[in-house]
Amino acid sequence: MLVTRSPERAGALSSLLRARGAIPVEAPAIAVTPSRSGPFAAAIREAAEAGFDWVAFTSAEGVEAWFARAATLGLDARGLRAEVAAVGPGTAEALRERGIIADLVPRTYTTEALGRAFPGGSGRVLLPRADIAPAELEDLLEAKGWNVARVDAYRSRSVRSLPAKVRAALARGEIDAVTFTSASTVEGFVAAAGVPSGPAVACIGPVTARRAREAGFRVAAVARPHTLEGLVEAVERTLARRRTVSG
């Protein structure tokens, strides 16, 4: 099973796959770099001074970047003086590990669902996001009356190529499935390896699946719920069906 997450995030999915008897092959399609920008630092300071009504995190990477930057500024990010939203359980868990309980987690774990779950309001919402994240969430919140401030918490870049052993395994047809956990992993993989036709493709959610289809993949499974555990179960179901058909 090919794991295309960034090196910092691949381990959790690999562990879940290994626990189910699969052999994960890590082939990061993206590289994530926390932001060192002045605007990000200023936003963290402002949030610590109750400058925002809400801070909405849309990924665990954003949480990690926030706390890392806060530490360099000498701030205790647990003193964040705002309501906190998380796009899903993985992001909420990353917050919980650092002493913050999310006040809002949507039932469906997408940015669209997060925007729709938000109450109406006229205050300020801060979105610490990836530099390449689309503006859909901002639009949804502004439509509800919020004054939205977005800041780049981290940069996401496609890798130049996959490891040689991974390219060889793909060429020999030894990869049963490719897992995608974000639209950026799809884009990074396509840039590095194109669109192989052999492996089954499993995506963590509908946004990722849509991007994979647009890139030319035939998506075999979409996780429900949109979590790493759901993704592993989706892979299992897909490969079981393949074995039944081939048998």
Side-chain angles (χ1 to χ4, degrees), residues 64-103:
E64 292 166 2
W66 179 282
F67 277 83
R69 190 73 174 109
T72 67
L73 298 171
L75 296 174
D76 181 0
R78 289 174 298 178
L80 186 110
R81 298 174 62 189
E83 299 290 304
V84 177
V87 73
T91 305
E93 179 59 25
L95 287 164
R96 189 180 302 112
E97 290 173 352
R98 293 161 175 84
I100 294 178
I101 303 300
D103 300 286

Side-chain angles (χ1 to χ4, degrees), residues 15-234:
S15 295
L16 289 171
L17 289 167
R18 198 174 291 113
R20 298 293 188 97
I23 301 175
V25 178
E26 295 184 7
I30 58 172
V32 173
T33 305
S35 173
R36 302 285 297 176
S37 72
F40 186 34
I44 293 173
R45 289 193 180 98
E46 192 172 357
E49 296 170 358
F52 297 97
D53 297 277
W54 284 86
V55 178
F57 292 95
T58 57
S59 68
E61 288 89 348
V63 174
E64 292 166 2
W66 179 282
F67 277 83
R69 190 73 174 109
T72 67
L73 298 171
L75 296 174
D76 181 0
R78 289 174 298 178
L80 186 110
R81 298 174 62 189
E83 299 290 304
V84 177
V87 73
T91 305
E93 179 59 25
L95 287 164
R96 189 180 302 112
E97 290 173 352
R98 293 161 175 84
I100 294 178
I101 303 300
D103 300 286
L104 173 64
V105 181
R107 291 186 177 182
T108 302
Y109 312 137
T110 65
T111 52
E112 180 182 1
L114 178 60
R116 298 194 184 285
F118 244 84
S122 58
R124 301 182 71 206
V125 179
L126 175 64
L127 303 180
R129 306 200 67 189
D131 61 329
I132 62 172
E136 178 185 38
L137 180 55
E138 291 97 300
D139 295 341
L140 288 169
L141 295 180
E142 287 172 355
K144 290 192 171 186
W146 293 103
N147 180 3
V148 179
R150 171 173 170 162
V151 64
D152 292 343
Y154 61 98
R155 295 168 61 84
S156 179
R157 292 290 178 269
S158 299
V159 299
R160 293 184 177 181
S161 64
L162 299 181
K165 67 176 183 179
V166 174
R167 297 198 304 271
L170 284 168
R172 292 193 297 265
E174 296 173 353
I175 302 298
D176 297 302
V178 178
T179 60
F180 292 121
T181 55
S182 66
S184 58
T185 59
V186 174
E187 293 161 5
F189 186 87
V190 171
V195 182
S197 59
V201 171
C203 298
I204 200 166
V207 175
T208 305
R210 182 169 63 245
R211 185 67 194 93
R213 293 187 182 102
E214 290 171 351
F217 288 102
R218 295 183 62 184
V219 176
V222 179
R224 296 182 185 279
H226 311 316
T227 63
L228 294 184
E229 291 81 2
L231 181 58
V232 171
E233 291 174 0

